[in-house]
Amino acid sequence: MREVSIHGADHATIDVALVETKLTIRYHVPNLRDRSNVYLALGTHREIGAAVLPFDRNQEGSTVFLPFKSDLLIFAAVKNGKLHCYQRKWADWKWSDRTTANGCVASFDNGALTFHFQRAALSASKSLDLVLYAKELTENDGWGRFYGCSDKGTAAGLGDKYIPHYCELKLDSTAAELSIERSRLNVDHSRIRIYQLFVRLFSNTNETRKLNGTLAQNGVGKFNDINDAALDGLRKMGFTHIWLTGVLQQATGTDYSNIGQPADDPDLLKGLAGSPYAIKDYFDVCPDYAERPKQRLDEFKSLLKRIHRHDMKALIDFVPNHVARSYGSDVMPELNFGTRGNDGAGDDTSIFFSPQNNFFYLQPDGHGPPLRLPTCKEGQPISPTCKLEA
């Protein structure tokens, strides 16, 4: 016996088992109940088929568009505790009327619906294309709510649905795999979908939004707030990657002297929070996002593990030329820019520009552009970052 398990949307699982003469497809999705219909669209390659499934109020519900041409639609309806199994076939360039299923027997047990096929009823093709999903027909005025699709990237909801991926079952016993995920263009891999997540804002429920406010006044998102519930929701939406924007340590007006990270010079900041593209340490993460700032890297690593546990990958920004003037790495001090420039001897601060330096150095003797920062006038601070201490 050859077997495979397919994980779909909304925690649906499809267990496929194939022996020489029989094919069994077991479908389980939480809360499958009375008046729920389960639909199995197959491409048996017996006929040319259609990529648009039939639609009908209180029967098939609203339209479903497939990534392949189906020639057989099997659906099981649970009504008043009884199971009914029907079929429609593509013939003579149209879908046939609904009839009792022939060559397929359905059973319902322990919250799972199982389709039993005789291999001979599925044509002589060595492969079979399939999509599975359920509809709750008590909703949307009989047109149904779509959920539990075999394509985990297809979200539940009302109205017409397009399913971008399907399973190709290899019925030949010599095939290396029983099931291969395919798309409309017949490629073997799913399309990448990236969710950009700005950690500072994602889970911050503080609505103060004070102009040039401090961290305590305006709040901030945390690594730990990107929890299993949030990641589960993103995965259900079909995202494959999480782009964690602005996680590297940046210059900031927030004082972390208790962990050896004092506030940066306010003359060099864009607001008290600073900019996520003024990197202070390429080998560290922003302590603002940690419940325990001293353990910020551990909390970040825990977030990465959570992302991977939900079958997604993580991306971060790495922009080499967005360097804060106060750059200084505690993690990799041997790679500090200013102190390790000039072939390791440190920058020559006596000249405005040198190709061996990592920074420009403004000079008071007129041999370089003048420094004009709008921070003080007649001895009084005028810029917001000079007026306020984080």
Side-chain angles (χ1 to χ4, degrees):
M1 177 185 292
R2 302 170 65 203
E3 296 178 296
V4 67
S5 290
I6 301 163
H7 298 281
D10 308 308
H11 302 290
T13 57
I14 300 98
D15 298 314
V16 181
L18 177 66
V19 295
E20 186 174 350
T21 59
K22 294 181 181 180
L23 173 67
T24 302
I25 301 173
R26 181 181 182 274
Y27 174 78
H28 177 268
V29 66
N31 301 319
L32 188 65
R33 55 187 181 271
D34 199 55
R35 288 221 64 194
S36 291
N37 283 11
V38 176
Y39 300 85
L40 173 61
L42 298 173
T44 70
H45 311 291
R46 174 185 53 84
E47 292 280 351
I48 190 170
V52 183
L53 293 179
F55 53 93
D56 192 359
R57 188 178 179 189
N58 295 317
Q59 297 296 336
E60 292 88 3
S62 54
T63 312
V64 172
F65 300 90
L66 301 176
F68 66 93
K69 292 183 177 180
S70 170
D71 53 28
L72 178 61
L73 176 64
I74 305 287
F75 58 101
V78 182
K79 294 181 180 179
N80 301 319
K82 295 183 179 180
L83 183 64
H84 306 268
C85 193
Y86 304 99
Q87 71 178 25
R88 283 193 176 195
K89 288 186 176 182
W90 181 266
D92 298 326
W93 300 99
K94 64 180 180 180
W95 286 105
S96 69
D97 293 334
R98 190 181 309 108
T99 62
T100 301
N102 180 24
C104 173
V105 176
S107 61
F108 187 74
D109 184 50
N110 292 326
L113 187 78
T114 305
F115 297 94
H116 308 267
F117 291 93
Q118 293 295 321
R119 176 68 181 85
L122 296 172
S123 81
S125 175
K126 293 184 178 181
S127 66
L128 186 71
D129 303 328
L130 75 84
V131 154
L132 256 168
Y133 58 90
K135 281 192 176 181
E136 179 56 68
L137 292 176
T138 59
E139 300 186 27
N140 196 24
D141 197 24
W143 292 105
R145 180 179 65 88
F146 176 103
Y147 68 101
C149 185
S150 54
D151 178 11
K152 58 187 175 183
T154 305
L158 307 179
D160 299 344
K161 286 290 180 177
Y162 171 63
I163 303 173
H165 300 100
Y166 66 98
C167 298
E168 180 185 5
L169 298 183
K170 295 292 187 178
L171 305 181
D172 188 348
S173 60
T174 62
E177 297 179 82
L178 176 55
S179 174
I180 299 176
E181 186 181 53
R182 300 287 193 187
S183 73
R184 184 175 63 85
L185 299 178
N186 212 31
V187 295
D188 291 352
H189 58 274
S190 301
R191 185 176 183 179
I192 290 174
R193 298 180 70 185
I194 300 173
Y195 183 88
Q196 184 177 10
L197 190 157
F198 189 26
V199 179
R200 182 171 295 277
L201 301 180
F202 181 77
S203 60
N204 183 19
T205 58
N206 185 321
E207 297 184 1
T208 304
R209 294 190 288 271
K210 181 179 179 181
L211 182 64
N212 293 307
T214 65
L215 192 74
Q217 291 170 326
N218 286 337
V220 65
K222 302 290 184 181
F223 291 136
N224 289 349
D225 292 335
I226 309 170
N227 55 25
D228 287 317
L231 294 171
D232 184 57
L234 290 171
R235 191 66 190 95
K236 284 180 180 178
M237 294 169 66
F239 291 102
T240 60
H241 293 66
I242 305 296
W243 174 10
L244 298 169
T245 301
V247 300
L248 295 180
Q249 186 174 21
Q250 64 199 54
T252 178
T254 304
D255 187 10
Y256 289 104
S257 295
N258 59 333
I259 60 169
Q261 302 282 344
D264 290 286
D265 188 336
D267 284 344
L268 305 176
L269 296 177
K270 297 178 181 178
L272 290 180
S275 167
Y277 294 105
I279 304 301
K280 187 176 180 179
D281 189 348
Y282 280 109
F283 304 95
D284 205 346
V285 294
C286 180
D288 289 352
Y289 306 150
E291 299 287 352
R292 300 165 299 164
K294 192 172 183 178
Q295 281 77 46
R296 57 194 179 276
L297 280 172
D298 292 332
E299 293 187 22
F300 179 63
K301 291 174 183 177
S302 294
L303 170 58
L304 297 182
K305 289 179 181 178
R306 287 196 298 277
I307 292 172
H308 295 158
R309 192 164 62 240
H310 285 272
D311 196 25
M312 294 184 287
K313 295 183 179 180
L315 307 172
I316 66 169
D317 302 289
F318 186 86
V319 189
N321 62 329
H322 283 245
V323 183
R325 183 59 187 86
S326 57
Y327 188 93
S329 175
D330 291 336
V331 181
M332 299 285 283
E334 67 274 17
L335 296 179
N336 280 350
F337 291 108
T339 59
R340 301 301 295 176
N342 202 16
D343 296 326
D347 282 6
D348 183 352
T349 61
S350 65
I351 54 177
F352 167 65
F353 169 75
S354 167
Q356 279 72 46
N357 284 350
N358 284 320
F359 290 104
F360 293 89
Y361 293 89
L362 301 176
Q363 303 298 318
D365 59 2
H367 292 94
L371 175 62
R372 295 191 180 97
L373 293 175
T375 57
C376 293
K377 184 177 182 180
E378 298 177 355
Q380 297 297 317
I382 60 173
S383 75
T385 51
C386 270
K387 287 180 180 180
L388 299 172
E389 289 297 330

